[in-house]
Amino acid sequence: MRRALGILLAALLAVAPGTPLYAASTTSDDQAPEIVDVAIDKSILKPGDIGTYTIRIRDDNPPETEGWFTWSPSTPIFEWSEETTRKLNGGKMVAGSLRTSDDGVTSFQVKFEVLPDAPYGSYANHYAMVISDSIGNYTHADSPSFVVDDPQHPIDNEPAITGKRMVGETLAASLNAPGARVEWQWTRRFDDPDKILGTQSKIFLKTDWFWSILQVRAIATWPDGHTLVRRAATDYLEGIPVDIGSISFDPAPAVGVQSTAKFIPNPSLPFKMPPTEVLLLSSADIDTSTGTFTPFPQDAGKQVHARLSYQLPRGYYATSSPEARATIATGVWRKGPPVVSGTPEVGRTLSAKPGNWSGSPEGFFYQWLRNGKPIPGEEAPTYEVKPQDANASISVRTTAFWPNWTHRFTATSDPVTVRKGILPNLRVQLQGTPKVGQKVSANASNWFDGTQLSYQWLRNGRSITGATKSSYALGPADSSNKLSVKVTANRPGYTPTSTTSASKTVLPGTLAKGRVQVTGTHKVGQNLTGKTSAWPTGAKLSYQWLKNGKSIKGASSVSYKLSAADRAAKISLRVTASKHGYVATSVTSTGKAIAAGTITKGSVKLAGTARVGYTLTAKPSGWTSGSTFKYQWLKNGYSIKGATGSKYKVQTKDRRAKISVRVHATKTGYTTSSHVTSARYTVR
């Protein structure tokens, strides 16, 4: 059965210089393909030339199509340089090159291109080809060698780099390229390789480039425009060795003494020393988190070791790492003593000052003592002196502790004797209006909680009997006098203190106004009477009758008789109340106009003998007192001309006539009364 043959061309890994290449060989399977030969069309190639390999194989079943042949990698890898050649035809054989002759030999071609900047020299045993059939039988052969050269453009294959490969130094590059102009480009190979660091043949090595690989690229250009690029790289750039300084203990480690492992930088360093950290290692029970420590008493004789943690600026390295060792000596361990500060007085606050302790304690516990005994609950750094502390001794016991809690030391302060507290001066003010009939109170401020206040009211600086409350009702006795109050503060454990307020003059009181009414008939001749109500108890009332708002002379009693002079006037009554210690107050009734009086109609009688020649006399009676009478004598009911007096002499012509008299009464301030006629008498 005819077996299809698949032929694979693949590149082996690049072979380092001096490494032996594989020789042509076959597998033990006699059915493996046989390499007849591999030939190259040119033995000398210029950069940019295309070379052609012709590969001939023998197999029982030669391939008939180009699709049978592929290889990998598609770019040949040469012994000298990875940049010598590149793939051509997409990694496939040259189209139309596959042939099988009558003698059973199959041939095909593969092309490659020499890169324009390929290094000059011989490329031998650079491309090993492996050919395999479809069932896995294989054979391989080395490709022919060739030389890359261009006599018209001679050039070194790589620049020469001279100088000390250390930051802070200068490197120089040179390239032998007769007849060409050379340009330079320096870069860091793996760190931002596209960034050009310099364009001269020399370059100063910056400290930032420490442990970088610098690559120089030389670009040679000949007058005919031909350009070739050559590269060279340094090894990793070395740093600058420096002596960074030393560590020492200051002072020497000893019990109770604070010692610091100090790093002293070398003053000749070409840079400012970055921050460092001194690390401690010790068999002693000390704080190793910092470079400062104070050994405890049990640490005497133990070792302490200090070393440095640091990071130098880029480009420098230390020639040695500083360290120091020491043995802890014996010493004195200080314990305070604590001190009580502040005023030892009831109401004040005392503070515990821990004093000077060895070893920088993490903190302190406190216990306050009264007469040497613990005061329950008083474990703060401060203590408010209480009333029960008066005349007692107060001290504080202080316990120092450290973070590991394995060390505690205790000390007690000297006692202080507490004296009674001094109460603050009270601020006392009178509140209210200092006026008879009002109540005033004492407003005391600036006193402590728990203080008891007592009061004493003063009149003209002298105590008022019984006036010992916080408020005081002002009476008539206080009028126009100076009033003040003395407030005394008492608190257990304190000395009493008293403050007297500023005095104020007591104003007379204002009597409450009552009511007044006028009763009676408001007519001339009638009596009016004042009726009062709701006036303060004990007030003395006085009266004044008013005519048209003005006082009526002598009219100062509760009653008033209206006279003719009061007719048509408005009569009112003003009542004034007075009381000791008070300002008098008045109320006036509403004025009311006085009407004319009404004359009381009386009667009239005739006295005398009704005979000719005799005289009759009119006798009015029962009329309003003070009335004035008018008379008219009548004969048979008709007026007797001219007979207008109170007497009438009977005339002869009056014989057998009936004689009477008509009386009219008048009085100032009164309406005229209607007439009254006496009885008729017949004249004989």
Side-chain angles (χ1 to χ4, degrees), residues 219-521:
I219 306 169
T221 305
W222 281 266
D224 62 2
H226 188 75
T227 299
L228 286 176
V229 178
R230 293 292 184 260
R231 299 172 179 80
T234 69
D235 201 349
Y236 290 101
L237 299 184
E238 298 177 355
I240 302 173
V242 290
D243 177 8
I244 64 174
S246 61
I247 294 178
S248 63
F249 292 103
D250 182 26
V255 170
V257 177
Q258 186 182 67
S259 181
T260 300
K262 293 184 177 180
F263 168 62
I264 304 172
N266 186 347
S268 63
L269 287 173
F271 52 83
K272 183 179 179 181
M273 190 67 188
T276 60
E277 181 182 5
V278 176
L279 304 178
L280 292 179
L281 298 172
S282 179
S283 59
D285 188 11
I286 61 175
D287 181 8
T288 58
S289 61
T290 66
T292 300
F293 61 95
T294 303
F296 290 99
Q298 62 269 35
D299 294 330
K302 295 181 180 180
Q303 297 292 316
V304 60
H305 173 209
R307 58 185 178 85
L308 191 67
S309 174
Y310 61 93
Q311 184 174 1
L312 298 183
R314 185 174 175 84
Y316 296 90
Y317 69 92
T319 56
S320 62
S321 183
E323 63 178 353
R325 297 178 183 273
T327 300
I328 299 173
T330 58
V332 178
W333 185 263
R334 298 184 307 276
K335 296 193 297 181
V339 175
V340 174
S341 64
T343 303
E345 182 178 281
V346 173
R348 298 294 189 98
T349 298
L350 300 178
S351 297
K353 305 296 182 183
N356 187 15
W357 293 72
S358 294
S360 300
E362 175 77 7
F364 298 91
F365 297 124
Y366 300 92
Q367 176 61 64
W368 290 89
L369 311 174
R370 181 189 296 125
N371 296 328
K373 296 181 179 181
I375 303 174
E378 298 296 338
E379 298 174 354
T382 58
Y383 175 67
E384 184 177 347
V385 184
K386 300 173 176 55
Q388 56 266 40
D389 296 325
N391 302 318
S393 293
I394 297 295
S395 57
V396 64
R397 184 170 62 216
T398 303
T399 300
F401 63 89
W402 281 259
N404 56 14
W405 296 94
T406 59
H407 302 287
R408 292 193 182 190
F409 299 94
T410 300
T412 303
S413 71
D414 291 333
V416 295
T417 301
V418 176
R419 60 176 178 262
K420 284 188 175 183
I422 299 175
L423 292 172
N425 291 326
L426 296 172
R427 290 192 289 271
V428 181
Q429 292 179 320
L430 290 182
Q431 284 189 330
T433 303
K435 187 175 183 179
V436 172
Q438 299 292 323
K439 181 180 282 189
V440 292
S441 60
N443 179 22
S445 59
N446 196 38
W447 47 277
F448 294 151
D449 289 342
T451 301
Q452 294 181 342
L453 303 180
S454 59
Y455 305 87
Q456 177 59 62
W457 292 89
L458 308 174
R459 184 188 300 128
N460 297 328
R462 296 182 179 180
S463 298
I464 302 174
T465 303
T468 57
K469 295 182 178 180
S470 60
S471 60
Y472 175 66
L474 295 163
D478 300 311
S479 180
S480 301
N481 291 313
K482 299 286 186 180
L483 182 72
S484 58
V485 61
K486 181 172 73 173
V487 181
T488 300
N490 286 277
R491 194 181 188 211
Y494 290 80
T495 301
T497 182
S498 298
T499 300
T500 301
S501 71
S503 61
K504 292 186 178 182
T505 300
V506 179
L507 301 174
T510 300
L511 286 173
K513 292 182 178 182
R515 295 187 292 273
V516 59
Q517 285 181 310
V518 174
T519 60
T521 302

Side-chain angles (χ1 to χ4, degrees), residues 38-47 49-53 78 84 112 114 119-126 143-151:
V38 179
I40 190 168
D41 64 338
K42 299 176 184 177
S43 61
I44 298 177
L45 298 171
K46 293 180 182 180
D49 283 352
I50 295 175
T52 303
Y53 287 120
F78 293 95
T84 303
F112 64 92
V114 179
Y120 293 170
S122 174
Y123 290 79
N125 300 323
H126 59 285
S143 60
S145 63
F146 61 90
V147 173
V148 175
D149 193 13
D150 186 359

Side-chain angles (χ1 to χ4, degrees), residues 49-120:
D49 283 352
I50 295 175
T52 303
Y53 287 120
T54 299
I55 304 167
R56 298 199 307 154
I57 64 172
R58 187 186 300 277
D59 192 73
D60 292 340
N61 298 294
E64 297 177 355
T65 62
E66 296 173 1
W68 286 90
F69 298 94
T70 59
W71 58 87
S72 179
S74 60
T75 301
I77 299 176
F78 293 95
E79 173 187 342
W80 191 349
S81 170
E82 296 179 5
E83 299 178 349
T84 303
T85 61
R86 64 186 177 193
K87 66 184 179 179
L88 203 66
N89 301 324
K92 298 180 180 180
M93 68 176 63
V94 176
S97 66
L98 178 64
R99 292 181 177 83
T100 301
S101 61
D102 294 339
D103 59 0
V105 175
T106 299
S107 66
F108 59 90
Q109 292 179 337
V110 175
K111 289 185 177 182
F112 64 92
E113 180 184 3
V114 179
L115 295 181
D117 60 348
Y120 293 170

